Amino acid sequence: MKPFSLLIKPASADCNLRCEYCFYIDHLENGNKNPRMTVETLEIMIKSYMSTDQNKQYAFGWQGGEPTLMGSDFFKKVVEFQLKYAPPGSSISNGLQTNATMITEELAKFFGEYKFLLGVSLDGPDYLHDYYRKTIGQRPSHALVMQGIGRLKQNGVEFNILTLINNQTVKKAKEIYRYLCDNGFYFHQYIPCVEFDENGSFRPFSITGEEWGVFLSELFDEWIKEDINKVSIRLFDSIMEYLIYGRYNVCYMQDNCVQYFVVEYDGGVYPCDFFVKDNLLLGNVNTNSWEELYNSQTYHYFGNQKSNWNEECNLCPYLKLCNGDCQKFRYGTPKHSKQLSNLCRGWKIFYTRKLPRFKIIADKFKNENSINGISPFKIPKFGRNKLCICGSGKKYKNCCGAL
């Protein structure tokens, strides 16, 4: 059993916002209206995960919906159990994705003290962000997000900005990029919005592949001017990681989707947060071991469908940079796994225009750093912050000696 990470949804799809493009909210409307992970399930999950051989590297991602709905007491229990069950010499990373509107002073202080790395959803300036990202009462949320970010900064919490590229933001690559940089946000992640209705047609807020390719090209042109050593864009970092080291650090680039587990509030385990579906339920942390979950035929069938791509992919010069792309973008996967990704044309536009420049940068890096191995690029912040359990048995926060 190879090492794996956990993506946990302690409040499931529940959220204090009602973003129009959110695909999670349908799960809430069709099920439990107040889903919350119990302390008992939390402890079982953490204890059992930390009993597995992960090379003493344990990665927890907290997501939703909105995970801060659980409150500070829940996350205090998280750290309590992690420190209780972590083997000596291990390190623990906690990432949390949030809309930041519920970040209290208490939560911000806690996240700073225990080195949580946050991903904050922010779709650019207020008129773009507020177009879709509204509260349950249909009020704008941008100002609330910025208040939350202010509390994170005051308490030394490291965070990345997650920006969804929808039909409103896709034409604003330069404006959004400059807005984030002008506000001192230098770690970016841009996520394409591709959602389908029951007939397989694009929903109104989705983008086309061509729009995605143009957006990425314009984003690259802005970044390359003078920010190559200053701003980390996760996609660009991932391309450089592959060109320089031959490694993948994002799941959509790989040829198999056996990557991590999603744990729902009730302990149910699934292979991917895009595919929390009844037919892909692998088991439950309350009744199944991680070995049983990992060896599930359903898990590996789902994972192997990633490489069951369209025959056209075999002729594509960029195949190794997407391996058929995320299964979500091949509508109806695994039933329609051989359908080309709806972003295929966009990736081709972007890589045709910009990959030669990436290769020049990569070659320059390899030539200049073949001796000292120091990268000119900012290290992506995803997963860098850790709690450390040193060999002495003492517990340290972000102890460099154990990393």
Side-chain angles (χ1 to χ4, degrees):
M1 184 169 65
K2 71 176 184 180
F4 58 89
S5 60
L6 300 183
L7 193 157
I8 307 136
K9 299 169 63 181
S12 192
D14 200 5
C15 188
N16 63 311
L17 299 186
R18 286 298 182 268
C19 307
E20 188 176 339
Y21 51 59
C22 180
F23 67 90
Y24 282 129
I25 204 65
D26 290 341
H27 294 285
L28 182 65
E29 293 172 350
N30 294 330
N32 193 329
K33 301 298 184 181
N34 189 39
R36 297 291 183 271
M37 179 174 283
T38 65
V39 173
E40 292 76 17
T41 295
L42 175 68
E43 183 171 14
I44 289 170
M45 177 186 68
I46 292 176
K47 180 181 180 180
S48 61
Y49 178 46
M50 289 190 150
S51 69
T52 63
D53 183 10
Q54 302 291 311
N55 297 322
K56 296 187 177 182
Q57 301 282 327
Y58 298 93
F60 296 82
W62 305 94
Q63 190 170 299
E66 178 48 49
T68 60
L69 285 170
M70 300 299 295
S72 58
D73 287 346
F74 176 84
F75 289 103
K76 288 176 183 177
K77 280 292 183 183
V78 166
V79 172
E80 176 186 329
F81 293 145
Q82 288 175 341
L83 297 179
K84 179 179 180 180
Y85 294 114
S90 62
S91 62
I92 306 161
S93 62
N94 282 293
L96 184 143
Q97 185 172 334
T98 177
N99 60 43
T101 63
M102 300 180 65
I103 298 293
T104 62
E105 186 67 25
E106 181 183 12
L107 265 177
K109 182 178 180 181
F110 175 83
F111 290 147
E113 180 180 1
Y114 287 98
K115 305 300 178 185
F116 275 57
L117 173 65
L118 268 60
V120 175
S121 295
L122 180 65
D123 287 355
D126 54 4
Y127 82 98
L128 289 174
H129 176 94
D130 289 335
Y131 192 91
Y132 286 123
R133 299 188 66 80
K134 294 182 172 66
T135 67
I136 292 176
Q138 292 299 295
R139 298 181 64 84
S141 65
H142 184 272
L144 296 174
V145 176
M146 298 304 286
Q147 288 176 11
I149 288 175
R151 294 189 181 103
L152 297 178
K153 285 185 172 182
Q154 290 168 8
N155 287 276
V157 181
E158 294 192 63
F159 60 91
N160 307 285
I161 297 295
L162 281 59
T163 301
L164 193 80
I165 306 307
N166 55 60
N167 67 326
Q168 298 299 312
T169 54
V170 74
K171 304 293 186 183
K172 305 289 184 178
K174 180 178 180 179
E175 181 179 353
I176 293 172
Y177 178 82
R178 291 266 63 94
Y179 175 80
L180 298 182
C181 292
D182 290 346
N183 276 279
F185 307 146
Y186 300 129
F187 290 84
H188 305 179
Q189 182 178 355
Y190 298 92
I191 306 166
C193 181
V194 181
E195 299 294 335
F196 307 98
D197 63 21
E198 60 276 6
N199 298 315
S201 300
F202 279 140
R203 300 188 71 180
F205 35 73
S206 296
I207 62 172
T208 66
E210 184 172 3
E211 288 175 325
W212 177 237
V214 172
F215 175 89
L216 290 178
S217 298
E218 293 177 352
L219 183 69
F220 179 91
D221 290 342
E222 200 63 23
W223 172 76
I224 201 68
K225 290 178 181 177
E226 55 186 22
D227 291 339
I228 189 172
N229 297 319
K230 179 181 179 181
V231 178
S232 169
I233 296 176
R234 193 181 190 190
L235 169 61
F236 297 175
D237 291 333
S238 300
I239 294 169
M240 295 305 300
E241 180 86 6
Y242 175 74
L243 292 178
I244 294 172
Y245 301 110
R247 300 190 299 245
Y248 297 124
N249 62 9
V250 290
C251 59
Y252 86 88
M253 283 186 172
Q254 306 204 36
D255 63 0
N256 191 290
C257 288
V258 175
Q259 304 280 329
Y260 65 98
F261 291 106
V262 175
V263 183
E264 270 286 350
Y265 78 100
D266 60 357
V269 180
Y270 300 83
C272 174
D273 57 322
F274 292 140
F275 293 92
V276 177
K277 299 181 178 181
D278 291 342
N279 66 324
L280 290 173
L281 176 64
L282 307 178
N284 193 292
V285 297
N286 291 293
T287 55
N288 298 102
S289 69
W290 289 108
E291 184 175 5
E292 289 174 324
L293 295 165
Y294 185 85
N295 290 327
S296 164
Q297 290 184 352
T298 300
Y299 189 38
H300 288 276
Y301 174 77
F302 173 82
N304 291 334
Q305 287 301 101
K306 179 67 159 68
S307 60
N308 190 26
W309 51 63
N310 189 284
E311 293 181 1
E312 288 185 30
C313 296
N314 295 318
L315 304 176
C316 179
Y318 312 119
L319 175 61
K320 291 300 181 182
L321 289 164
C322 80
N323 280 303
D325 205 3
C326 176
Q327 292 197 54
K328 177 185 178 181
F329 304 141
R330 289 143 57 174
Y331 175 72
T333 301
K335 184 178 179 181
H336 299 291
S337 66
K338 286 189 174 295
Q339 179 170 312
L340 283 171
S341 164
N342 284 273
L343 295 179
C344 178
R345 176 165 170 75
W347 290 121
K348 288 181 177 179
I349 289 172
F350 175 58
Y351 286 130
T352 298
R353 295 178 180 179
K354 306 305 176 184
L355 189 58
R357 188 66 182 274
F358 275 114
K359 289 181 176 178
I360 291 173
I361 299 170
D363 288 342
K364 182 179 180 181
F365 164 78
K366 288 187 282 190
N367 291 334
E368 293 180 354
N369 297 280
S370 58
I371 297 177
N372 57 29
I374 299 175
S375 171
F377 300 97
K378 299 280 284 185
I379 300 173
K381 297 175 76 172
F382 299 89
R384 283 179 58 203
N385 292 2
K386 294 179 174 68
L387 286 168
C388 306
I389 311 299
C390 294
S392 64
K394 296 181 179 180
K395 302 175 180 68
Y396 296 91
K397 292 183 279 291
N398 208 33
C399 171
C400 297
L403 297 180

